[in-house]
Amino acid sequence: MLSQEEKSRYSKQTILPEIGIEGQERLKNAKVLVIGAGGLGCPILQYLTAAGVGTIGIADGDVVNISNLQRQVLYTEAEIGEKKVDVANHKLKALNPNVTFETYPFFIDSSNALDIISKYDIVVDGSDNFAARYLVNDACIILNKPMVFGAIYKFEGQVSVFNYQDGPTYRCIFPEAPGEGESPNCADIGVVATLPGIIGTIQANEVMKIITQTGEVISGKLLTMNTLDINVSFFSFKAIPENKRVIDLRSSEYNCGINPAGIKEITYSELKDILAQEDDIQLIDVREYEEYQIDNIGGLNIPLSQFKHRFSEIDAHRKVVLYCSSGVRGSNFGKQLLQKGYRNVFNLKNGINELIIS
């Protein structure tokens, strides 16, 4: 039952005949897990909290980074270095004390996904990488939970609802993850500030429709939006039975080739020690020139896109340390160096994002 305070708080929502008091009570009794408290996760969490979803889980192992503030509007500069789940928990409680929050200050993986997801009615995917999406999709299939999906890329976004009422899954439209380096995350290619807010809000809207049992859920369809020209399209797809036959999470590989064998990962702290003790180090920034000009930690700038024409500038007999924004392009660059016969190759773990954490 709603308290008098809740009736007043949600009055603009309950006067809608499609929701009403009954729909608001459904929201109050619902349990929703939001995976990722970043660009998509912020608007998802803020609107589900304001709308009165009773229990919200927040799963994210990251801390607030200054580069997050351009689009992750739940955070401020004063909170740089703090755990996102802790900051989100504190601020969302202030927004709506009627909501119960459960925080998971770590990344969802195959060892914990089933246990955590089993506690919730709906899972909202606000992750920024393919490994997490396939993992969450497969866990939702096993547990028969709907997954509200969103993805962003530069000025473009996608939304769909998978595994809803025995509908299609993520693998029914994207059967396999892209190859290594074929599709970088927003840390590598950028994203306009407003896009996560638009796509995340649509995801929150889908969650509310599922809970209140109103409207048409975006199941069996993929909504795509280009914010440069406000072009919105829908692509239909059907369930493929074999893509719904997931038995356990151990049978699938979810690293998407991010750290190929033979490439050693080092933290920024370890890199500083190496640079202090050794002179014969080749530090290579594999980001684009424009990114290098904004911020770098030194070294030679050889963009991954120019590898074919410039890799010979790197001495195969010396130690090579590669870095980018998140570690993905550095890993891809390193793999190609290994194929060319280079052996002493290192990649900076998490890229220069590691600077905020170290």
Side-chain angles (χ1 to χ4, degrees):
M1 296 289 291
L2 300 179
S3 66
Q4 189 57 51
E5 186 273 335
E6 289 172 311
K7 289 178 181 179
S8 298
R9 176 185 288 267
Y10 307 122
S11 60
K12 295 298 182 183
Q13 205 159 261
T14 56
I15 62 174
L16 296 170
E18 294 86 353
I19 296 180
I21 294 296
E22 183 180 353
Q24 193 63 52
E25 289 176 342
R26 289 196 183 109
L27 288 167
K28 182 177 181 177
N29 294 326
K31 296 181 179 180
V32 177
L33 173 65
V34 179
I35 296 178
L40 292 172
C42 284
I44 293 167
L45 288 165
Q46 287 169 292
Y47 278 100
L48 292 183
T49 298
V53 171
T55 301
I56 299 177
I58 313 171
D60 196 312
D62 209 353
V63 299
V64 178
N65 184 309
I66 192 169
S67 65
N68 300 152
L69 304 183
Q70 163 257 7
R71 65 201 177 280
Q72 299 180 22
V73 296
L74 189 57
Y75 312 118
T76 67
E77 193 165 327
E79 291 136 9
I80 290 174
E82 295 185 34
K83 293 179 180 179
K84 288 183 178 179
V85 294
D86 292 341
V87 178
N89 182 42
H90 174 72
K91 290 191 172 181
L92 295 171
K93 281 182 177 178
L95 173 62
N96 191 345
N98 299 306
V99 178
T100 299
F101 296 96
E102 301 290 343
T103 59
Y104 306 93
F106 46 80
F107 294 109
I108 298 293
D109 59 31
S110 57
S111 70
N112 58 38
L114 293 176
D115 179 57
I116 294 172
I117 292 174
S118 66
K119 299 177 174 67
Y120 295 87
D121 307 313
I122 301 171
V123 177
V124 192
D125 174 37
S127 62
D128 64 357
N129 65 86
F130 285 99
R133 291 170 192 157
Y134 282 96
L135 170 69
V136 173
N137 170 79
D138 292 355
C140 286
I141 292 173
I142 292 172
L143 297 169
N144 194 28
K145 307 283 186 180
M147 167 184 165
V148 180
F149 157 80
I152 50 178
Y153 178 86
K154 295 184 177 180
F155 296 92
E156 302 177 8
Q158 300 176 341
V159 179
S160 189
V161 178
F162 300 114
N163 207 42
Y164 175 68
Q165 296 183 346
D166 203 34
T169 74
Y170 183 67
R171 289 186 184 272
C172 293
I173 188 170
F174 303 113
E176 301 292 338
E180 178 190 328
E182 290 180 0
S183 184
N185 61 33
C186 67
D188 293 320
I189 48 81
V191 60
V192 67
T194 52
L195 181 62
I198 296 169
I199 299 302
T201 302
I202 295 174
Q203 287 180 268
N205 189 59
E206 290 303 299
V207 173
M208 291 182 65
K209 285 157 57 180
I210 293 171
I211 295 171
T212 60
Q213 301 174 17
T214 188
E216 181 181 351
V217 175
I218 307 176
S219 175
K221 293 182 292 185
L222 180 71
L223 179 154
T224 66
M225 172 181 288
N226 185 321
T227 57
L228 283 177
D229 55 15
I230 311 299
N231 182 19
V232 180
S233 302
F234 286 91
F235 298 91
S236 298
F237 58 98
K238 296 182 179 180
I240 301 174
E242 52 264 36
N243 288 333
K244 297 174 70 66
R245 297 180 188 134
V246 179
I247 299 175
D248 59 59
L249 301 182
R250 292 170 297 177
S251 61
S252 299
E253 185 59 57
Y254 298 106
N255 64 19
C256 296
I258 289 176
N259 186 29
I263 300 177
K264 310 173 190 69
E265 284 194 326
I266 60 172
T267 65
Y268 181 64
S269 177
E270 292 169 333
L271 174 60
K272 288 192 294 184
D273 291 341
I274 292 174
L275 292 173
Q277 297 170 14
E278 303 180 35
D279 296 325
D280 199 28
I281 301 295
Q282 299 175 98
L283 183 62
I284 311 295
D285 185 334
V286 306
R287 300 173 301 157
E288 294 301 316
Y289 175 77
E290 294 79 10
E291 297 174 86
Y292 180 79
Q293 291 300 307
I294 293 172
D295 190 20
N296 67 76
I297 56 173
L300 181 63
N301 180 215
I302 304 180
L304 175 60
S305 60
Q306 299 177 19
F307 177 88
K308 181 178 179 180
H309 305 290
R310 296 188 59 190
F311 78 89
S312 59
E313 297 177 32
I314 304 172
D315 189 341
H317 302 291
R318 297 168 60 197
K319 182 179 293 184
V320 180
V321 178
L322 308 166
Y323 74 89
C324 62
S325 295
S326 66
V328 176
R329 281 176 288 179
S331 179
N332 194 12
F333 196 106
K335 179 182 178 182
Q336 295 184 62
L337 282 180
L338 293 177
Q339 293 172 345
K340 295 290 185 180
Y342 290 73
R343 288 292 173 262
N344 207 3
V345 180
F346 295 80
N347 184 36
L348 183 61
K349 185 177 182 181
N350 297 328
I352 59 172
N353 291 344
E354 181 74 9
L355 290 172
I356 303 300
I357 304 173
S358 298

